[in-house]
Each structure stands twice: as C-alpha cells, then as structure tokens.
Amino acid sequence: MRLSYTKALNRALTDALAEDPAVCVFGEDIGAGMAGPTLNLLDRFGPGRIVDTPLSEQAFTSMAIGAALTGRRPVIEFQIPSLLFLVFEQLVNQAHKFSLMTGGQANVPLTCLVPGSGSRDGWAGQHSDHPYSLFAHAGMKTVVPATPTDAYGLLRSAIADPDPVVVFAPAGALPVRETVTWELSPIPLGSARIHREGADVTVVAVGHLVHDALAVAEELAPEVSVEVFDPRTLYPFDWTALAASLERTGRLVVVDDSNRSCGIGGEIVATAAEELRLIAPPRRITRPDGAVLPFAPALDRALQPNRDQLRDAVRAVMKHRPTSSREDRGR
Amino acid sequence: MTGLPGSADLGSPAGRYRMLRLIRGFEELALGLVKSGEITGGIHPYIGQEAVAVGVCAALRPQDRITSTHRGHGHVLAKGADPSRLLAELLGRTGGLNRGRGGSMHAADFSLGILGANGMVGAGGAIAVGAAWSARQAGEDRVAVAFFGDGALNQGVLLESFNLAAMWRLPVLFVCENNGYATTLPAATAVAGSATGRAAAFGIPAVEVDGMDAEAVRAAAAEAVARSAAGGGPGFLECRTYRFEGHHTMERLMKLRYRTPEEVADWRGLDPLPRAAALLPPGLAERLDASVAQQLAAARQFALDSELPSVEGALDHLYADGLRPRAGSGA
C-alpha cells in the first residue's frame, strides 16, 4: 500500500473515531476536509462528532478542554501553526495544568493536530512558525512525526493518551510517501527511532529534517558513518535511546527547525553535555535567534536548517580530536 | 438540631439562608486565617455576593455542572462541596479538595460537577460551553453554569463562547456577577453598552436580576435552567451585586480608595442575609446560625489537623499517566 503522510493522519483519525465514540474533532473547515487529515470524516461520523467551528480558536479550544474534562476525547485541528500562539493560554495555562491543580481529580485527554507546521514555502511571517519547543518547554507532550507510519502511530497514541498532546505534522514531511507492507498500529509516545545506524556521529533530526539527515548520511557514507536519530516525541524525550546512541558514537549534531535560543536543540545538546558520553563538542543547526521567516523564497529557505549546514557540522565534529588536558589549559 | 436543613440542601428558604450563612461564615473564618498567616497567598472574599451563588445553585440539579472564578468559594460551597475540605485546600493540606495542589483559586470537586474555580478571568465560560456540548453528545440531561464577573465581559474568549453556545443551542447558563468593579476599575468606565445587551446581541435571552436577593436569583435561574434543559439554548443572568470586602485580602494592607465609604455602606444595607432571614419563622435563623457555627468549627479543626503534603510529591498528578518529569537538578 502506498501511504501519504496526510492519508496516514486521515486513517489515524478515522480509526480512532471508529473505535471510540468519545473521540470527536473540532476545527476550522474540517467538514470540507480542507487541510486533508479530516477528509470524509463528516460524511462518515456526522456533525455531532466532526464539529466545523467558527473562527474562534480560543473559545473552541477552551470548549474542547471542557469536553475533555467531562468524558470526551477531542482532537482539534489547527490550520496554521501560529494559531497555537493564540491558544497558548488555553493549552498551557489550562489544559496542561488541570491534572496537577485539581490534585488528580481531572485530566484533559485533548489532542492538538497541526498539519503543515513550519514553512510551507511562501506563506511568510505569520504562517511559517514551528513552535514545538515552546510546548516541550511548558511540559506538554509534544510529537513531531517524520514519516507516514509514525504519523499514524503517534497520532493514535496521542488520541489515546490521558493528557493533552500537541502533534506537529511538518509541512516539509507532508509530501513523504511510503510503501507500507506492515500493519499500521499505535506507536508509544516517548520512544525514539533510529532510521539509520552509524558508528561515528549521531545526528538528532526533528520532523521533516530526518529526511535531510538521511540524505546527508548517505552522501557522506564514504567518509563518515552517521547514525540518524529521530526522537519522534520531543517531550517526553527518549534520553535512554540517545544515551545508547552516544555510547556508540560519542559525537552529536542536532538539526532542529526551532529558533536557536531555548529551542529543543539547545536542550538536547545541554543534556548530552551534562549527562551523556561526548568525545567532541556537539553542534546544532537551527533557525537563527528570533527568526521571522521573510516572504521571498530565497530568504525563507535561508533561515531554515539545510543540508549544507548539516554536512559541515558533521565534518566539523569529525575533525575534532579530543585534546589533552594540558593543551586545554594552555588556551 | 432535628428538622433543620442539611448543609447542601437548597430546596427551601431555610436551606438557602443556611447556605448564605455558611458562605459568609466560611469567608470570615478564612479571612481570619489569612490574617494569622495560616492561609498563604490570600483569598478573594465573596462576602456580599452570596445570594448569587446560592440562588443559582438552588436552581440546579445534582447532575448539573459549574465553572467558577478566582472569587469562587461561594460557588463551590453552594454546589455542595464540603467546607472542611475546601478550607483544608485553602490551607494547602492533603485533606483539601485538590489535595492542597490548587488552593483558593483552583478549588474543584469533579464528583459534584464543580469543574474548578479558575485563576484567569473569563476562562470558565467556554469550558462550561464544552461541558454542555459534552453532555449533549453523551445524551445526558445536564446544564452547565459559567460564573464570571463584570471584568470578564471584556474578555474576547467569553464573547466567543456566547456565540458558540447560541449557534449550537447548548444548555449553558451564563451568570454575570456584576459587582461593579473589575478589581478597581468601575464597570461604568469599562463596559460599553450593557452586560445583558451583549448577550442579547447573540440572541441569548438575558435577564437582569437583583443579585442581593437569593430568592430573585433562584427564580430567574430556575427559569433559564428549565429552558436550557428543554433544548432552548443558553441563558444569561446579570446579577447586580457588590463585594463588601476588597478585591483580594492584600487590599486590606493597601488602603486603596476607589470606592467611597458611603457606597460601601449603601450596599451593606442590602445585605442578602437579613433579607433571607426575614423570610423565615421567628427563631429559625438563629438556630441555623448556630448549626453553621458548629459546622465551621468542625471544618476549622479538620483543616488545621489535615496533613501538610510531602515535598517529594510536589509534582504528583502533573501527568495523568504517571509520567515523572526530570528533576530541576538533572537527577
């Protein structure tokens, strides 16, 4: 079976809705299935469960929280990643906090799905953000699948999870198709995936950048053995798997479509520096600090992590030879 | 004390008077514990506004749900919460409604349909709309009530929630407690048009009622609840009321001058308790007062005897699935 990323999301929603009558979907233009993942859901499940909402993101997000607090299992589709800024209050200050603040009386099984996060090529400043690090920072379960199979499996687990989960489907991964010969099934949150084993460098790649990392790994294969590590879930992060990978390689490059300051790449590098095995200083490839993606295509691309930067970073960490402590002191 | 109504029995004028007295006495007790330093962080006292909570909750059925505000003790008690456990919550004890994790501004009892006081002005409105939607989805006959103040009338998300409730004819009752001030800002200088006019603009039947008269509030709420439960869509009550104390206990130290002593005295003349007592046979109010005093003495004892939470469990209940976050020390 040939499976596209968007079709995988559509299958995951369809299967979740069919299995559990508490599952329902809120969002804008979802009846028409404009973004893709909700295509045909209205016909099959009806307007009682597939709720086309007015353009009131804060109210329908709060409403989904109210529904989640009282036995429903809502999914919200957000058309634009920047809409998450508009509902940060609802997600972080309400949904995320209810369980602790009520002493465990309540939980909020809410899934937020963002099909087309990050740059979509030419959508300019207010439609091109990739704010997954903000949610990981806040402690919300945060998922960024790279492949159709993972998109299906992680969305199913997100919907089944008792806590709120934000699922980013990067625009850069939406064109990915897979020939699937296996049964699609839920994939547990918090488990990383090694896409390619390697001995010299671990490249941690987030979301669509997994595919760039695989291309660079292939290209550099004659000179360096690159392990491509896809965290899949950014929070909770699979530190155990990363520790095992760095035990093998001892070198780390992170490629992350966040702005540089306080992005998830910084957390991965910091944790590796504090707790994990490194034999060379780690590197990260990110958007610049405070990036606002400009409209002009060349400018939009220039601010996103790219393969050239990744290639250079891999070569740079390979060039580094552990120096003796005497040389270190001499500097 | 045989023959007296129980703590949460609001079915008679005597029961409603008793609840008015319970809320008043509870707040006075809490004020004392704030003053003595046993309650940290202070409270937003409900004194003066008791008739709103009692009148509205007297019109509700056990299965109905409420969302409350930062000034929420009255709502929580009138919906039936145990004053001992509410007081223990204010004191941050494990015997509190929220195991000491929520405090005054987040007190909740989901077993009674109390979906929480809320620290963000206007946030409960759309959560109640979600609870109403959820009940309809589940085929359950439940009305949801959102309490909020005049300050919330300027929160966009609340106005959005009016629209959703009206468009979808949801069983919600919006209760605006207009106490004349958003903290220190007079409603007259903050709310263009009128509260009822705003609801009416969405096609929601809106009624202004004397919020110092529990019987009048009950009658208006009963009508709206019956209409909502019968599929007539949302209702709106503007209860004109007044808080006799400051916005927050901190205000006692600050000697703010935004209300004249004459204005406060005028409203104290409308105190809902004597008005409710006047409806009772001679001597009954005094017997009810004694019963409440006894109950509150027991509540005080229970709360102060309740254990303080252990520090090891500071992040208990953060995730419903028991996920343990990394410690700040990296361990």
Side-chain angles (χ1 to χ4, degrees):
Chain A
M1 176 186 61
R2 213 47 194 152
L3 184 66
S4 76
Y5 194 116
T6 303
K7 182 69 188 162
L9 295 173
N10 181 251
R11 285 266 310 262
L13 289 173
T14 304
D15 291 353
L17 284 155
E19 256 178 41
D20 182 354
V23 175
C24 50
V25 187
F26 292 87
E28 291 155 349
D29 307 302
I30 62 170
M34 197 179 83
T38 61
L39 205 61
N40 300 323
L41 296 184
L42 180 61
D43 284 349
R44 176 150 175 206
F45 299 101
R49 296 175 69 193
I50 309 301
V51 186
D52 242 332
T53 56
L55 309 192
S56 301
E57 291 83 8
Q58 295 181 325
F60 72 67
T61 302
S62 301
M63 190 184 156
I65 293 166
L69 286 169
T70 52
R72 305 291 103 192
R73 207 167 264 285
V75 179
I76 305 176
E77 183 192 83
F78 290 102
Q79 277 184 356
I80 306 166
S82 318
L83 292 176
L84 294 173
F85 301 143
L86 196 57
V87 297
F88 213 59
E89 147 67 19
Q90 281 71 26
L91 296 181
V92 174
N93 207 27
Q94 304 283 344
H96 172 57
K97 293 183 178 174
F98 253 91
S99 180
L100 183 142
M101 291 194 311
T102 62
Q105 290 180 64
N107 61 299
V108 182
L110 167 70
T111 302
C112 297
L113 173 64
V114 190
S117 57
S119 170
R120 308 177 187 192
D121 297 334
W123 286 56
Q126 292 178 333
H127 283 59
S128 304
D129 290 302
H130 224 160
Y132 46 73
S133 296
L134 297 181
F135 291 92
H137 177 74
M140 285 185 71
K141 295 176 182 176
T142 306
V143 176
V144 194
T147 70
T149 300
D150 285 351
Y152 176 90
L154 292 164
L155 180 55
R156 289 298 307 274
S157 293
I159 296 170
D161 200 271
D163 293 311
V165 183
V166 187
V167 179
F168 290 87
L174 294 182
V176 175
R177 282 171 167 69
E178 274 179 323
T179 300
V180 176
T181 55
W182 47 84
E183 188 85 4
L184 293 172
S185 59
I187 293 167
L189 303 186
S191 91
R193 173 177 174 183
I194 309 271
H195 283 266
R196 177 189 175 111
E197 293 188 352
D200 298 327
V201 185
T202 299
V203 171
V204 175
V206 176
H208 59 298
L209 297 169
V210 165
H211 304 287
D212 295 293
L214 285 168
V216 167
E218 181 63 24
E219 185 192 328
L220 296 183
E223 55 183 290
V224 53
S225 169
V226 173
E227 178 143 307
V228 177
F229 181 103
D230 173 5
R232 302 198 288 195
T233 304
L234 298 182
Y235 190 90
F237 196 94
D238 191 348
W239 298 114
T240 308
L242 183 61
S245 177
L246 290 175
E247 280 302 317
R248 290 190 287 276
T249 64
R251 294 183 181 85
L252 174 65
V253 173
V254 181
V255 55
D256 162 26
D257 195 27
S258 298
N259 292 351
R260 196 167 183 82
S261 283
C262 304
I264 191 74
E267 178 56 34
I268 295 167
V269 164
T271 299
E274 280 186 325
E275 302 171 26
L276 308 180
R277 175 176 175 263
L278 287 177
I279 58 173
R283 296 284 299 266
R284 65 197 149 120
I285 314 294
T286 64
R287 293 186 183 189
D289 275 353
V292 175
L293 291 198
F295 167 69
L299 304 183
D300 172 298
R301 280 194 300 274
L303 299 189
Q304 296 175 65
N306 64 46
R307 292 183 189 184
D308 290 340
Q309 294 167 330
L310 180 55
R311 202 183 297 112
D312 291 347
V314 169
R315 285 183 170 138
V317 296
M318 285 309 294
K319 265 188 201 135
H320 184 89
R321 292 282 173 268
T323 50
S324 74
S325 51
R326 181 175 302 176
E327 284 177 57
D328 274 341
R329 272 202 300 275
R331 278 181 199 149
Chain B
M1 292 287 170
T2 50
L4 291 181
S7 176
D9 176 7
L10 306 185
S12 66
R16 294 190 279 277
Y17 171 79
R18 190 186 189 287
M19 182 57 78
L20 292 168
R21 174 58 70 194
L22 179 71
I23 296 170
R24 176 71 54 91
F26 182 93
E27 293 295 63
E28 287 167 347
L29 174 56
L31 285 172
L33 292 167
V34 170
K35 203 172 176 188
S36 67
E38 278 151 304
I39 292 175
T40 54
I43 63 167
H44 299 86
Y46 194 63
I47 293 174
Q49 302 184 203
E50 297 92 340
V52 179
V54 173
V56 170
C57 290
L60 299 182
R61 300 141 325 155
Q63 73 267 28
D64 295 330
R65 293 167 168 144
I66 66 167
T67 61
S68 173
T69 70
H70 55 286
R71 198 178 309 286
H73 306 165
H75 312 136
V76 171
L77 290 170
K79 189 67 172 69
D82 177 354
S84 300
R85 295 189 58 214
L86 178 61
L87 192 63
E89 187 57 37
L90 269 51
L91 286 158
R93 308 295 173 114
T94 55
L97 289 172
N98 306 24
R99 298 188 166 96
R101 268 62 178 182
S104 167
M105 277 193 282
H106 305 294
D109 189 338
F110 276 67
S111 70
L112 297 169
I114 302 166
L115 308 187
N118 204 301
M120 302 307 289
V121 169
I127 293 175
V129 171
W133 182 87
S134 187
R136 190 165 76 186
Q137 272 311 101
E140 297 166 350
D141 172 21
R142 298 178 195 255
V143 171
V145 174
F147 289 100
F148 52 87
D150 48 283
L153 290 170
N154 291 320
Q155 291 286 2
V157 63
L158 186 71
L159 301 174
E160 290 178 11
S161 78
F162 291 176
N163 184 54
L164 297 185
M167 285 301 302
W168 296 332
R169 295 184 71 77
L170 293 171
V172 186
L173 176 58
F174 295 105
V175 178
C176 176
E177 296 187 78
N178 185 350
N179 66 15
Y181 294 86
T183 308
T184 65
L185 186 69
T189 68
V191 181
S194 67
T196 50
R198 291 186 181 194
F202 293 94
I204 300 175
V207 177
E208 188 184 320
V209 60
D210 177 359
M212 306 302 275
D213 179 350
E215 298 304 313
V217 173
R218 187 191 58 83
E223 200 180 318
V225 167
R227 192 184 54 245
S228 279
F236 181 99
L237 299 185
E238 179 189 6
C239 302
R240 300 298 290 264
T241 185
Y242 202 77
R243 56 173 159 73
F244 295 169
E245 294 286 323
H247 162 72
H248 182 266
T249 41
M250 210 163 54
E251 205 179 300
R252 290 184 154 189
L253 308 171
M254 298 166 73
K255 300 196 169 49
L256 301 179
R257 266 176 280 172
Y258 59 95
R259 311 192 294 188
T260 63
E262 294 74 24
E263 181 185 293
V264 178
D266 284 352
W267 279 94
R268 281 188 180 272
L270 301 171
D271 191 327
L273 271 75
R275 292 171 76 172
L279 302 176
L280 305 181
L284 181 53
E286 291 72 18
R287 286 168 60 209
L288 291 166
D289 289 351
S291 150
V292 164
Q294 218 173 52
Q295 187 183 8
L296 287 173
R300 183 177 192 281
Q301 199 60 49
F302 170 88
L304 289 168
D305 286 350
S306 179
E307 276 182 38
L308 292 163
S310 72
V311 177
E312 293 73 42
L315 281 180
D316 282 358
H317 315 295
L318 179 56
Y319 299 101
D321 66 354
L323 171 69
R324 303 303 301 186
R326 291 187 295 167
S329 60

